[in-house]
Amino acid sequence: MAFKDYYALLGIPPGASHEAVRLAYRRLARQYHPDLNREAGAEERFKAINEAHDVLSDPAKRAAYDQMRQQVQARSDLGSASRRGFEDLLASFASLKDKALDPGWREMLRGFFTDAGLAGRGGRSGRGEDQHATLRLTLVDMARGAHRECTVRIEGRAEDGTPCPLEKRVKVRIPAGITPGKRIRLAGMGGEGEPAGDLFLTVELEPDPHFTLDGRNVILRLPLAPWEAALGATLRVPTPHGAVQLKVPAGSQSGRRLRLAGKGLPGQPAGDLLVELQIHVPPAHTPEARALYEDMAASLPFNPRAGME
């Protein structure tokens, strides 16, 4: 994993003043605060911004970090730096003198390089990095809940440290009533470390040929024959929880919605199933069908545009 560039995280140059650090932190903290920003990854970005501010706002921590940063930049790649022992790196910071040997400073400097792999084999391993992926679910799985074993794509690193996509096989318990945009946390399934990081799966809705989602309400567009709408009918219709019988009132018009309470996504309160009626007209492809339409035109006193003149 790449060394954390705190200046880049805050969007400021390395020589920025203390006031510039403060202003950049305030602006980004408002932008990515979890209470204000619900986008995927905002919470992790907020934590990283706080970590960067904690170091760069403290003169002593910033001085130590700047020297560590120079050491990383002086090498052609992070891999060659990681092969050098952490104790050798500490000893190279002569300007820090006794502070670099103090246990508190040693742990702080070690923390800077935990993600970069520079802490050395004998040092304490840091917490693994949280990872993120997308989990596409059917509406039925969201409504009923399920246990699934699936493959997700995460952002990983090759042996030389370059970013590359990886596939990970995971087992997921899907809670009934989950909605798109929510996250499922798989503890310990993220990056390696002590402890391991977590894997966060952001839920997306798999397109469905019959259903669409509006909050916790599920919308079903139900095709009807003209005679079913005119005379009324009892029809078997699908819901996310299984098929049910639906009574269509006589004289129903296209666009009318019938509500089946509680047949949407579970929750507090539960969503409903909204059945939107759509009248489909049979084509007049044969002489017999055309004759039927001509007979209807002649015998039914019906003008759908009455009152428009």
Side-chain angles (χ1 to χ4, degrees):
M1 302 177 189
F3 173 71
K4 294 180 181 179
D5 190 337
Y6 292 146
Y7 294 103
L9 277 171
L10 296 182
I12 56 176
S17 66
H18 179 79
E19 180 65 11
V21 171
R22 186 183 70 84
L23 292 176
Y25 166 73
R26 290 185 62 184
R27 175 176 57 83
L28 293 172
R30 285 195 299 267
Q31 180 179 351
Y32 292 100
H33 196 286
D35 292 341
L36 303 176
N37 191 328
R38 299 295 185 179
E39 295 180 1
E43 183 177 353
E44 284 65 38
R45 183 70 185 273
F46 180 73
K47 292 178 181 177
I49 291 166
N50 275 283
E51 180 181 329
H53 176 258
D54 179 65
V55 172
L56 299 184
S57 63
D58 184 293
K61 290 182 181 180
R62 182 172 179 177
Y65 172 78
D66 285 344
Q67 293 208 32
M68 279 288 198
R69 186 172 180 273
Q70 290 172 8
Q71 288 290 319
V72 174
Q73 292 178 335
R75 290 162 173 78
S76 59
D77 59 70
L78 197 55
S80 62
S82 65
R83 287 189 289 271
R84 184 179 179 187
F86 177 69
E87 298 300 328
D88 292 339
L89 279 172
L90 285 181
S92 70
F93 298 119
S95 64
L96 293 179
K97 296 183 180 179
D98 292 344
K99 286 184 178 179
L101 302 179
D102 180 85
W105 278 78
R106 291 166 65 90
E107 287 306 307
M108 182 191 73
L109 297 176
R110 191 186 300 276
F112 289 149
F113 271 68
T114 294
D115 287 343
L118 302 180
R121 293 185 179 181
R124 177 182 60 83
S125 175
R127 184 183 185 277
E129 187 178 61
D130 290 338
Q131 295 175 334
H132 303 267
T134 297
L135 179 64
R136 294 173 69 86
L137 298 177
T138 66
L139 196 142
V140 171
D141 281 344
M142 291 183 180
R144 302 182 187 181
H147 288 81
R148 292 285 182 266
E149 184 172 350
C150 56
T151 300
V152 296
R153 291 176 66 85
I154 62 174
E155 286 297 323
R157 296 274 175 178
E159 291 185 0
D160 62 357
T162 58
C164 67
L166 299 176
E167 291 189 343
K168 178 177 287 190
R169 194 74 177 168
V170 296
K171 294 182 179 180
V172 188
R173 186 187 71 82
I174 302 161
I178 196 167
T179 54
K182 297 295 185 181
R183 298 193 305 173
I184 298 175
R185 173 175 171 263
L186 302 182
M189 294 295 292
E192 294 182 358
E194 294 182 6
D198 300 332
L199 174 60
F200 291 90
L201 303 179
T202 301
V203 172
E204 288 186 359
L205 177 61
E206 190 81 35
D208 190 281
H210 306 297
F211 301 116
T212 56
L213 196 58
D214 180 14
R216 292 193 175 275
N217 291 333
V218 176
I219 300 172
L220 169 67
R221 291 176 175 84
L222 182 67
L224 289 180
W227 49 88
E228 291 173 328
L231 303 176
T234 299
L235 306 175
R236 182 176 173 86
V237 299
T239 81
H241 306 276
V244 298
Q245 296 294 115
L246 173 69
K247 185 176 181 179
V248 178
S252 292
Q253 299 293 326
S254 194
R256 180 178 181 178
R257 283 188 173 184
L258 306 178
R259 184 182 299 270
L260 296 179
K263 293 298 184 180
L265 294 187
Q268 297 296 331
D272 301 330
L273 178 69
L274 304 177
V275 182
E276 185 175 294
L277 306 181
Q278 295 184 335
I279 299 175
H280 288 215
V281 178
H285 289 334
T286 66
E288 293 79 7
R290 185 174 182 84
L292 283 174
Y293 279 118
E294 290 172 347
D295 184 57
M296 289 174 62
S299 59
L300 294 178
F302 176 63
N303 180 7
R305 295 168 300 282
M308 293 183 65
E309 299 178 357

